[in-house]
Amino acid sequence: MSSSEAETPLSNSDHILFDMPVSNNGARVRAILYYKQLSQQQVEIISPMKLGGLKSDEFLALSPQGLMPALTIQKEHDSGMTHLSESDTIARYLLAEYSSTGPSFQPDNPRSNQICRWHDVYLTTIQGCLYKPASRFPIGDYADRKSAISAFQKQLKTIEGFMSDDGMYLCGDEVSLADASLFPTCIFANYMLPKFDDSQTPLPPKLNTWFDNLRTNDSVFSKIYKEIMDTLVTSWEEKNHRWDSIWLAGQRDEAPGTIFDKIVAKEIPATIVKEDEHILAFKDISPQAPAHVLVIPKDRNGLTNLRKASAEHTDILGRLLVAGAEIANDTELGFGDGARFVINDGDDGGQEVYHVHLHVLGGRKLGPMC
């Protein structure tokens, strides 16, 4: 942004909401603006691109995490605040500021607050698993996409349990902040989850009924739905082909199963020396040293060979090495002073089973590598 642009106010409105249509968190705030029919003078929506983008110094001064939405307060306010970040904070500020206009959104309803809090802590923190590239992992507490998606679906079911059994909205007959918060995220879930598994309805049954009802019969939420979907379809999908390179959506493990899958399933016997939720270690049936153990991930998850690894595999590869180290310290398995750790890759690397595995060899002094 040039110095002349910086000196010219972007707007003379009371507030500027920096947001874009695809932002599901910003849509929470936009729903409030639309429901309360606030004028452009009261709140004007402007793209963060007008400040140079989400990572520009100007936008980061408003939202230190570089996330939408952000709000500038351009009129004098009793709090002395001149800007706010985070959608829940902005939403509650606007609900208080314009409490006499339109619906209240029930800011003190415990059911609404429970859903909002659960949504913000357990859903939005991991929603990136639905659309972010492998380079952005880990996401939240989850090291890989499969576990993050599973957790996301679990949290949707938990939120379903907080819903009222009566009325059109999450808390009954009156719209609440819970509806404004959850509906945009359910747009993401409804559109994106089938890209990873189209065998089941993306939303739990009660949530799905609520979602369909709002997008069909509530004019504000229909508008929010169109705003988000227009960008998801035309920009993310058709123009940028976002999901083509994303693991479990455009990219999947279509290689045939191996003998290791049968060992994991206990269909073939093996001398197992270590096992947990993630890895399995067993003695090699054709040992190349007095002590020779193979360590494998239970879920191949695309790792037919090591060259297929991405940031999504960082956790499991670390677990293989840690398990290998523990095994190499086990003298009862025949290991002595050290071990050799080998991962063969591809035909040139001598790989025989296309399910990535770590060889741990020891029990004697091993010669130099060829």
Side-chain angles (χ1 to χ4, degrees):
M1 187 165 63
S2 69
S3 58
S4 60
E5 289 175 321
E7 293 169 1
T8 304
L10 288 174
S11 170
N12 292 316
S13 61
D14 296 337
H15 306 87
I16 299 176
L17 178 69
F18 289 98
D19 192 33
M20 291 192 289
V22 76
S23 168
N24 66 312
N25 286 313
R28 171 191 331 209
V29 181
R30 300 198 305 273
I32 293 170
L33 304 187
Y34 302 157
Y35 250 111
K36 289 182 173 287
Q37 298 182 345
L38 299 183
S39 68
Q40 186 170 299
Q41 177 57 45
Q42 291 168 311
V43 184
E44 183 173 1
I45 303 173
I46 293 179
S47 169
M49 297 303 113
K50 291 290 186 178
L51 293 179
L54 299 178
K55 302 306 178 184
S56 67
D57 291 341
E58 291 85 350
F59 186 75
L60 291 173
L62 305 177
S63 177
Q65 293 295 102
L67 299 174
M68 296 180 287
L71 184 81
T72 57
I73 305 171
Q74 303 203 126
K75 63 177 184 177
E76 188 173 343
H77 193 266
D78 292 343
S79 68
M81 298 287 287
T82 59
H83 57 272
L84 297 170
S85 57
E86 298 298 328
S87 58
D88 188 68
T89 302
I90 296 169
R92 292 178 188 276
Y93 164 82
L94 292 173
L95 290 178
E97 192 71 8
Y98 299 104
S99 60
S100 62
T101 303
S104 72
F105 281 85
Q106 308 181 68
D108 298 321
N109 184 317
R111 187 187 297 276
S112 175
N113 289 343
Q114 175 73 88
I115 293 172
C116 288
R117 180 65 174 170
W118 208 270
H119 168 270
D120 291 354
V121 174
Y122 300 114
L123 270 186
T124 60
T125 53
I126 60 172
Q127 70 178 30
C129 68
L130 302 177
Y131 55 84
K132 288 185 177 179
S135 60
R136 299 293 294 275
F137 274 77
I139 288 180
D141 293 332
Y142 302 97
D144 63 89
R145 197 177 305 274
K146 184 179 289 187
S147 60
I149 289 174
S150 177
F152 187 89
Q153 293 171 313
K154 177 182 177 181
Q155 299 307 335
L156 285 173
K157 291 178 182 178
T158 299
I159 289 175
E160 182 182 54
F162 300 144
M163 293 175 60
S164 170
D165 291 328
D166 303 311
M168 179 175 176
Y169 300 98
L170 290 172
C171 299
D173 293 325
E174 183 183 345
V175 68
S176 71
L177 191 54
D179 298 289
S181 302
L182 186 61
F183 182 82
T185 300
C186 284
I187 298 174
F188 275 31
N190 190 64
Y191 183 69
M192 299 177 194
L193 280 172
K195 298 181 181 302
F196 301 93
D197 180 4
D198 60 4
S199 66
Q200 55 185 335
T201 303
L203 299 176
K206 282 177 62 180
L207 268 184
N208 190 60
T209 299
W210 159 82
F211 177 74
D212 281 342
N213 200 2
L214 262 59
R215 71 173 171 176
T216 303
N217 300 314
D218 184 294
S219 60
V220 167
F221 288 110
S222 294
K223 180 177 181 177
I224 293 291
Y225 181 80
K226 185 178 187 305
E227 286 178 345
I228 293 177
M229 285 298 297
D230 281 352
T231 303
L232 290 182
V233 174
T234 61
S235 180
W236 288 25
E237 182 90 65
E238 296 175 355
K239 181 180 179 180
N240 297 321
H241 307 286
R242 179 180 286 261
W243 287 275
D244 286 1
S245 61
I246 286 183
W247 179 242
L248 300 179
Q251 303 291 323
R252 302 193 181 196
D253 188 345
E254 297 178 344
T258 73
I259 190 173
F260 288 171
D261 296 301
K262 295 181 178 181
I263 292 175
V264 170
K266 305 297 194 293
E267 295 173 0
I268 293 178
T271 305
I272 296 172
V273 301
K274 185 175 181 62
E275 181 176 10
D276 62 24
E277 178 185 357
H278 304 282
I279 65 96
L280 184 70
F282 49 91
K283 292 185 177 181
D284 195 306
I285 59 172
S286 300
Q288 303 301 302
H292 187 174
V293 173
L294 301 181
V295 189
I296 69 170
K298 284 186 169 180
D299 182 357
R300 184 172 66 180
N301 198 24
L303 283 176
T304 50
N305 52 299
L306 190 58
R307 283 172 295 159
K308 296 290 181 66
S310 73
E312 292 188 47
H313 298 110
T314 301
D315 180 74
I316 191 61
L317 291 175
R319 289 179 185 275
L320 290 186
L321 289 176
V322 170
E326 293 172 351
I327 290 165
N329 279 309
D330 191 341
T331 56
E332 293 185 3
L333 291 174
F335 289 96
D337 185 17
R340 177 171 291 167
F341 302 90
V342 178
I343 296 179
N344 297 325
D345 186 284
D347 289 342
D348 288 353
Q351 184 176 1
E352 297 178 351
V353 180
Y354 280 79
H355 181 139
V356 77
H357 51 285
L358 173 69
H359 294 263
V360 186
L361 305 102
R364 64 173 171 80
K365 187 175 180 63
L366 301 175
M369 296 288 288
C370 60

